[in-house]
Amino acid sequence: MHSALFLIEFGAILLGLGLLGRVAGRLRFSPIPLYLLAGLAFGTGGILPLGASEEFVAIGAEIGVILLLLMLGLEYTANDLVSNLRTQYPAGLVDCALNALPGAAAALLMGWGPVAAVVLAGVTWISSSGVIAKVMGDLGRLGNRETPVILSILVLEDLAMAVYLPIITALLAGVGLAAGSVTLAIALGVAGAVLFVAVRYGRIISRFVSSDDPEKLLLVVLGLTLLVAGIAQQLQVSAAVGAFLVGIALSGEVAEGAHALLSPLRDLFAAVFFVFFGLHTDPASIPPVLLPALALAVVTTSTKIATGYWAAKRAGIGVNGRWRAGGTLVARGEFSIVIAGLAVTAGIEPALGPLATAYVLILVVLGPLTARYTQPLAERLAPRRGGTSPVPAEPSAPRQHESVGQDG
């Protein structure tokens, strides 16, 4: 009876997610807000709370996070990352300062304490690679001169996650300064070692993993990823960071093949992850934090636009391209929910989950609009200026599979 109820519940979830994805596709926007709303509907205080399938959904959600980070890692070679670090690190620093500080300040103003401040800083800092890539593809901007600047910022944010996640994990676990320092040192050591091996021996690793049989390639890549993610988590680093580093180590035809094979799995489990996050958020807890979430969304929309504008200007892009770069970076999504999910699981601040949910819902809807309309709006509001034609710029860009990640 229990197994029958599980199949009914889980089957209904997957069917519902598929229908919601089709609706989002028809309306040409990210399905993430619909997945979050579905989780709210089936969670505590929702319309129809789940019972039998919740444990399985939790495991699926963890696999979803791992696959999200693996796929992002597959988008970049180690050489891409090193090149971006060398040439674009000032843009990464500006991005962190302008977008992490509002989140930290908001948490402190609400009296949530320093740990929650570090968590909320990450929620407001990291843009959604999946949503942004889809928007750029929909708008036909993948070949634009400002696109390498946007991608470079996303790469730096992904790299920052490899350092940020272990810090958050240590803080949420309540370990002392010494233990936290050891955790961070291990994380940095592992990341550095993997990058070194990827640069020097990436082709050998890819050749070892490579297979003409899609089934064998899928099993080897997925098995290797879960194994490394588990070992990373055992070392108190982060399963997600382990998966990201595996993606970086793979390159060439292996990365292309793995990307094609794993994309459907990633989309499935990522959707389950967003539902799982919604399950652990009581809908009744969202209205009290709606106003702070809206204020935070307004502030960080402005700071993201300023970040993209400054980075594009530094790269020699014309005024129109600067506004397009800024507007495109606004969307938050999968990473913000991943970070908030860690805090919700640790139980540090009950209102943090609802605030993050409301914040992401606002910006995942607003992001595609700012990407489309920021530049035309800036043209209307600003006086006409001469000599603003774009200047060619060729920053290093990651290898692309049509886009940098898909919607999760």
Side-chain angles (χ1 to χ4, degrees):
M1 183 66 182
H2 184 273
S3 61
L5 182 59
F6 161 75
L7 291 174
I8 291 169
E9 285 186 354
F10 195 64
I13 290 173
L14 294 182
L15 177 61
L17 292 178
L19 295 175
L20 290 174
R22 290 177 68 175
V23 170
R26 291 277 181 92
L27 298 176
R28 300 186 69 182
F29 71 91
S30 169
I32 291 175
L34 298 183
Y35 294 157
L36 288 171
L37 291 174
L40 293 173
F42 290 110
T44 305
I47 301 169
L48 188 63
L50 293 179
S53 61
E54 187 167 352
E55 186 177 348
F56 186 82
V57 170
I59 296 171
E62 192 167 355
I63 294 174
V65 175
I66 289 170
L67 290 179
L68 277 170
L69 271 293
L70 168 66
M71 299 296 278
L72 282 170
L74 287 173
E75 298 291 346
Y76 313 121
T77 67
N79 290 328
D80 290 331
L81 295 178
V82 172
S83 175
N84 274 284
L85 277 175
R86 286 175 178 169
T87 60
Q88 298 296 332
Y89 73 89
L93 294 175
V94 169
D95 181 33
C96 177
L98 289 183
N99 297 288
L101 289 179
L108 294 175
L109 287 173
M110 289 186 283
W112 288 357
V115 176
V118 176
V119 172
L120 196 55
V123 171
T124 58
W125 172 18
I126 307 295
S127 298
S128 170
S129 298
V131 175
I132 289 170
K134 189 175 191 313
V135 168
M136 287 195 299
D138 290 344
L139 297 177
R141 294 182 182 174
L142 292 175
N144 281 20
R145 285 175 174 169
E146 73 273 6
T147 296
V149 176
I150 296 169
L151 297 179
S152 294
I153 291 174
L154 296 178
V155 172
L156 291 169
E157 288 181 349
D158 296 343
L159 273 179
M161 287 285 285
V163 177
Y164 176 82
L165 285 176
I167 294 174
I168 284 295
T169 303
L171 289 174
L172 293 175
V175 301
L177 180 62
S181 301
V182 170
T183 300
L184 180 57
I186 292 173
L188 291 175
V190 171
V194 170
L195 284 175
F196 174 79
V197 170
V199 171
R200 288 293 182 90
Y201 308 107
R203 291 183 179 179
I204 298 174
I205 296 171
S206 297
R207 199 179 304 129
F208 172 76
V209 173
S210 179
S211 174
D212 293 332
D213 187 336
E215 179 185 349
K216 293 173 184 174
L217 179 62
L218 175 64
L219 290 174
V220 170
V221 173
L222 186 58
L224 178 64
T225 301
L226 294 176
L227 177 64
V228 172
I231 293 172
Q233 190 156 307
Q234 194 68 26
L235 293 172
Q236 300 297 311
V237 176
S238 168
V241 170
F244 180 64
L245 294 174
V246 169
I248 291 171
L250 300 178
S251 61
E253 291 182 4
V254 172
E256 296 282 348
H259 189 280
L261 291 171
L262 289 168
S263 288
L265 278 178
R266 186 273 317 275
D267 293 341
L268 168 63
F269 285 106
V272 171
F273 166 72
F274 291 119
V275 169
F276 177 74
F277 185 82
L279 289 176
H280 285 73
T281 304
D282 188 345
S285 64
I286 290 181
V289 297
L290 198 53
L291 223 58
L294 188 59
L296 203 53
V298 170
V299 171
T300 54
T301 292
S302 304
T303 53
K304 272 292 181 184
I305 291 174
T307 298
Y309 188 97
W310 182 86
K313 181 179 180 180
R314 178 176 175 271
I317 308 299
V319 173
N320 288 343
R322 297 172 200 171
W323 286 117
R324 286 194 299 268
T328 303
L329 286 168
V330 166
R332 310 311 199 271
E334 61 273 16
F335 278 135
S336 298
I337 297 298
V338 168
I339 295 165
L342 294 173
V344 169
T345 303
I348 62 160
E349 175 55 53
L352 184 54
L355 177 66
T357 301
Y359 176 78
V360 169
L361 282 171
I362 293 168
L363 287 187
V364 83
V365 173
L366 184 63
L369 298 178
T370 58
R372 186 184 295 267
Y373 297 114
T374 297
Q375 180 245 321
L377 186 61
E379 275 189 325
R380 287 192 176 189
L381 295 178
R384 296 277 181 183
R385 297 185 231 171
T388 58
S389 56
V391 178
E394 298 295 336
S396 174
R399 69 169 178 259
Q400 300 176 47
H401 307 279
E402 300 271 320
S403 62
V404 182
Q406 302 295 323
D407 282 336

